[in-house]
Short mmCIF file of all heavy atoms in Angstrom, two decimals:
data_model
loop_
_atom_site.label_atom_id
_atom_site.label_comp_id
_atom_site.label_asym_id
_atom_site.label_seq_id
_atom_site.Cartn_x
_atom_site.Cartn_y
_atom_site.Cartn_z
N PRO I 106 -2.26 -2.52 -22.53
CA PRO I 106 -3.21 -1.87 -23.45
C PRO I 106 -4.34 -1.18 -22.68
O PRO I 106 -5.38 -1.78 -22.42
CB PRO I 106 -3.75 -3.05 -24.27
CG PRO I 106 -3.67 -4.22 -23.33
CD PRO I 106 -2.46 -3.98 -22.47
N PHE I 107 -4.13 0.06 -22.32
CA PHE I 107 -5.15 0.78 -21.56
C PHE I 107 -6.43 0.88 -22.39
O PHE I 107 -6.38 1.08 -23.61
CB PHE I 107 -4.65 2.18 -21.19
CG PHE I 107 -3.61 2.16 -20.12
CD1 PHE I 107 -2.26 2.18 -20.44
CD2 PHE I 107 -3.97 2.09 -18.78
CE1 PHE I 107 -1.29 2.15 -19.46
CE2 PHE I 107 -3.01 2.06 -17.78
CZ PHE I 107 -1.67 2.09 -18.13
N PRO I 108 -7.58 0.75 -21.75
CA PRO I 108 -8.86 0.76 -22.49
C PRO I 108 -9.12 2.10 -23.17
O PRO I 108 -8.82 3.15 -22.61
CB PRO I 108 -9.89 0.46 -21.40
CG PRO I 108 -9.24 0.88 -20.12
CD PRO I 108 -7.79 0.59 -20.30
N ASP I 109 -9.70 2.04 -24.35
CA ASP I 109 -10.08 3.27 -25.04
C ASP I 109 -11.42 3.76 -24.50
O ASP I 109 -11.95 3.21 -23.51
CB ASP I 109 -10.15 3.04 -26.55
CG ASP I 109 -11.13 1.93 -26.94
OD1 ASP I 109 -12.01 1.56 -26.11
OD2 ASP I 109 -11.05 1.42 -28.07
N GLU I 110 -11.96 4.79 -25.12
CA GLU I 110 -13.19 5.39 -24.61
C GLU I 110 -14.33 4.39 -24.53
O GLU I 110 -15.03 4.29 -23.51
CB GLU I 110 -13.59 6.57 -25.50
CG GLU I 110 -14.87 7.25 -25.05
CD GLU I 110 -15.21 8.49 -25.86
OE1 GLU I 110 -14.38 8.89 -26.71
OE2 GLU I 110 -16.30 9.07 -25.65
N ASN I 111 -14.52 3.63 -25.58
CA ASN I 111 -15.63 2.68 -25.61
C ASN I 111 -15.46 1.59 -24.55
O ASN I 111 -16.39 1.28 -23.81
CB ASN I 111 -15.73 2.05 -27.00
CG ASN I 111 -16.91 1.10 -27.11
OD1 ASN I 111 -18.06 1.48 -26.89
ND2 ASN I 111 -16.63 -0.15 -27.46
N GLU I 112 -14.27 1.03 -24.46
CA GLU I 112 -14.01 -0.04 -23.50
C GLU I 112 -14.10 0.47 -22.07
O GLU I 112 -14.62 -0.22 -21.18
CB GLU I 112 -12.62 -0.64 -23.76
CG GLU I 112 -12.20 -1.71 -22.76
CD GLU I 112 -13.13 -2.92 -22.74
OE1 GLU I 112 -13.80 -3.17 -23.76
OE2 GLU I 112 -13.18 -3.60 -21.70
N THR I 113 -13.63 1.69 -21.83
CA THR I 113 -13.72 2.27 -20.50
C THR I 113 -15.17 2.41 -20.07
O THR I 113 -15.55 2.05 -18.95
CB THR I 113 -13.04 3.66 -20.45
OG1 THR I 113 -11.65 3.51 -20.77
CG2 THR I 113 -13.16 4.27 -19.06
N ASN I 114 -16.00 2.94 -20.95
CA ASN I 114 -17.42 3.11 -20.63
C ASN I 114 -18.11 1.77 -20.41
O ASN I 114 -19.01 1.65 -19.57
CB ASN I 114 -18.12 3.90 -21.73
CG ASN I 114 -17.77 5.38 -21.70
OD1 ASN I 114 -17.52 5.94 -20.64
ND2 ASN I 114 -17.75 6.01 -22.86
N ILE I 115 -17.69 0.75 -21.16
CA ILE I 115 -18.26 -0.59 -20.98
C ILE I 115 -17.91 -1.14 -19.59
O ILE I 115 -18.78 -1.67 -18.88
CB ILE I 115 -17.76 -1.55 -22.07
CG1 ILE I 115 -18.38 -1.19 -23.42
CG2 ILE I 115 -18.07 -3.00 -21.71
CD1 ILE I 115 -17.83 -2.00 -24.58
N GLN I 116 -16.64 -0.97 -19.19
CA GLN I 116 -16.22 -1.45 -17.88
C GLN I 116 -16.96 -0.73 -16.76
O GLN I 116 -17.41 -1.36 -15.79
CB GLN I 116 -14.71 -1.28 -17.72
CG GLN I 116 -13.89 -2.21 -18.59
CD GLN I 116 -12.40 -2.03 -18.36
OE1 GLN I 116 -11.95 -1.66 -17.28
NE2 GLN I 116 -11.59 -2.32 -19.38
N ILE I 117 -17.07 0.58 -16.88
CA ILE I 117 -17.78 1.35 -15.85
C ILE I 117 -19.23 0.92 -15.77
O ILE I 117 -19.78 0.74 -14.67
CB ILE I 117 -17.68 2.86 -16.16
CG1 ILE I 117 -16.22 3.35 -16.00
CG2 ILE I 117 -18.59 3.66 -15.22
CD1 ILE I 117 -15.99 4.77 -16.48
#
Side-chain angles (χ1 to χ4, degrees):
F107 288 95
D109 58 18
E110 179 175 353
N111 183 57
E112 176 61 25
T113 299
N114 286 329
I115 289 174
Q116 290 182 29
I117 293 171

